[in-house]
Amino acid sequence: MAVAEILEFLMILSFGISWPMKVVRSYRSRTAKGTSVTFTILIAIGYVCGIASKFMTHTFNPAFWMYWPNIIFVTTDIILYFRNKKLDAEADKK
């Protein structure tokens, strides 16, 4: 494995460690306040582009496999954003 592939893997791994913590925080907080869904969507787009580049170059190295849990957690966080936004709206009605 080349140094560039190792560095890419470590980058994706470091991001991947953060996302489960973010999802748990989003779930427990039950609020969308202070969350930027635009930022999260842009990150998701970046992961999709990374996955697409791996398919285009047929580079199915360890970094390729780390993109998948990351995109799943980011997508989960986006879904939780909309759930929390709905909960915020219900709380504001009361």
Side-chain angles (χ1 to χ4, degrees):
M1 188 181 311
V3 173
E5 290 175 328
I6 293 169
L7 293 173
E8 180 186 19
F9 174 79
L10 292 173
M11 178 200 67
I12 298 298
L13 179 65
S14 66
F15 290 151
I17 292 168
S18 305
W19 284 112
M21 292 184 283
K22 173 69 167 78
V23 166
V24 169
R25 188 179 140 264
S26 294
Y27 180 77
R28 288 182 180 165
S29 72
R30 301 180 63 86
T31 184
K33 294 175 181 166
T35 302
S36 171
V37 73
T38 304
F39 177 76
T40 309
I41 289 170
L42 287 171
I43 290 171
I45 291 169
Y47 284 136
V48 168
C49 290
I51 291 168
S53 76
K54 296 296 184 185
F55 276 116
M56 294 173 81
T57 60
H58 302 283
T59 310
F60 305 114
N61 59 11
F64 168 79
W65 298 106
M66 288 305 301
Y67 278 105
W68 294 100
N70 281 316
I71 192 70
I72 290 167
F73 279 113
V74 171
T75 302
T76 302
D77 197 48
I78 293 169
I79 292 166
L80 285 171
Y81 170 83
F82 289 106
R83 179 205 73 159
N84 290 345
K85 191 169 172 85
K86 182 180 175 186
L87 293 173
D88 287 340
E90 290 171 2
D92 289 343
K93 286 180 184 178
K94 294 180 181 181

